Amino acid sequence: MAEQGGEAPARGGFGRGGERGRGRGRGRGRGRGREREENVWVPVTKLGRLVKEGKISNIEDIFLFSLPVKEAEIIDYFLKDKLQDEVMKIMPVQKQSSAGQRTRFKAFVAVGDNNGHIGLGVKCSSEVATAIRGAITSAKLNVAPVRRGYWGKSAGLPHTVPCKVTGKCGSVRVRLIPAPRGTGLVSSPAGKKLLHMAGVDDCYTSARGHTRTMGNSIKAIFYALRNTYGYLSPELWPEMALPTSPYQEHTDFLSKKQVA
């Protein structure tokens, strides 16, 4: 029982609290700041550390030494403003389980800068948005250079594939054939998108197999574009001295302990 004439004791345990108020002020500010900190890229691989510190200035140096890219932020660092992504196909896939059928969604996404770089990613998830996000990340990790050349006279900028190249996935086999300037892209709608994103302006295509399987078709085209650097034309026959690898050149920097 409260004493007569004295102050009533503060209520405890229930309600909003007497002097403390709702407590919304500081909590909101902290949450927002934390979100900003999470958007900062902290590299976890040696290649990522070199890229963020500016030791590697060009993405071509990564392809020259065939360095594996394990972080999508590396591709964003070099091609963020130029890179475009395109959802090629979304298809449901089912798995039979004891409780019935389990349906998930499989997304095929292509990324390219229209200037000699193309990537293709595939991701399966229970939600479409999650599958697309994962496929975009996978496509960035699979970005490969595309070599372009000429048909006939070597005048102006390269406009077609340098030679006949073939890609295969499943039963689908796709052949890319050089075409004269002004021909355009002679291919299926999906093939035109991929070739355009790779920066190829003129090209004939020849396909065989079950091309209705969209996933295998676009994979075969991607493999064919990736194979353009697998053939040595006569101008590449002379022996060239290979420069020092970035890992070897910046050994002292990589040996230092990274401070978070």
Side-chain angles (χ1 to χ4, degrees):
M1 185 173 179
E3 298 179 0
Q4 295 180 356
E7 296 182 358
R11 293 175 59 194
F14 299 99
R16 295 176 182 171
E19 299 176 358
R20 289 179 298 173
R22 294 189 178 183
R24 286 184 179 177
R26 292 187 345 193
R28 280 188 178 180
R30 286 182 182 177
R32 288 176 183 171
R34 200 172 297 141
E35 287 178 5
R36 288 175 191 161
E37 292 176 4
E38 289 176 359
N39 293 332
V40 177
W41 173 37
V42 179
V44 296
T45 61
K46 291 192 292 184
L47 181 60
R49 291 175 58 192
L50 291 176
V51 168
K52 189 172 182 181
E53 292 297 324
K55 306 291 185 182
I56 298 177
S57 58
N58 194 355
I59 194 173
E60 306 303 332
D61 294 336
I62 297 175
F63 297 134
L64 178 63
F65 295 96
S66 300
L67 303 178
V69 178
K70 301 293 185 184
E71 297 177 82
E73 290 83 0
I74 295 174
I75 304 299
D76 287 333
Y77 182 86
F78 291 111
L79 305 175
K80 186 169 185 179
D81 298 332
K82 307 172 186 176
L83 212 61
Q84 300 175 354
D85 56 79
E86 179 82 26
V87 178
M88 306 299 294
K89 182 179 176 65
I90 297 176
M91 58 181 289
V93 292
Q94 290 183 332
K95 173 185 176 183
Q96 188 69 35
S97 63
S98 58
Q101 291 180 338
R102 176 189 174 193
T103 303
R104 296 196 298 171
F105 299 96
K106 190 176 185 182
F108 294 83
V109 175
V111 298
D113 64 347
N114 299 335
N115 193 24
H117 298 98
I118 187 74
L120 182 67
V122 184
K123 179 66 177 177
C124 194
S125 179
S126 58
E127 295 182 3
V128 175
T130 309
I132 292 176
R133 282 198 303 268
I136 291 175
T137 303
S138 177
K140 290 177 180 177
L141 296 178
N142 291 329
V143 165
V146 178
R147 186 175 167 218
R148 293 164 292 172
Y150 300 91
W151 183 94
K153 187 177 181 181
S154 300
L157 296 174
H159 62 97
T160 185
V161 290
C163 58
K164 296 176 182 178
V165 287
T166 304
K168 185 177 185 302
C169 182
S171 68
V172 182
R173 186 187 302 269
V174 175
R175 193 182 195 200
L176 306 182
I177 304 167
R181 194 183 296 273
T183 303
L185 300 174
V186 184
S187 178
S188 62
K192 285 181 180 179
K193 287 181 183 177
L194 277 178
L195 292 168
H196 178 70
M197 294 176 78
V200 178
D201 298 325
D202 309 291
C203 185
Y204 294 123
T205 60
S206 172
R208 61 179 301 177
H210 202 273
T211 54
R212 280 182 58 191
T213 309
M214 175 72 77
N216 288 351
S217 295
I218 57 181
K219 278 185 178 181
I221 296 172
F222 171 67
Y223 295 153
L225 289 168
R226 197 174 60 179
N227 288 340
T228 51
Y229 267 105
Y231 295 94
L232 293 179
S233 51
E235 63 267 19
L236 298 177
W237 287 354
E239 187 175 350
M240 299 176 64
L242 191 66
T244 309
S245 168
Y247 290 161
Q248 185 68 32
E249 184 179 353
H250 303 288
T251 304
D252 296 335
F253 170 77
L254 293 174
S255 62
K256 298 178 184 177
K257 187 175 181 181
Q258 186 179 9
V259 179

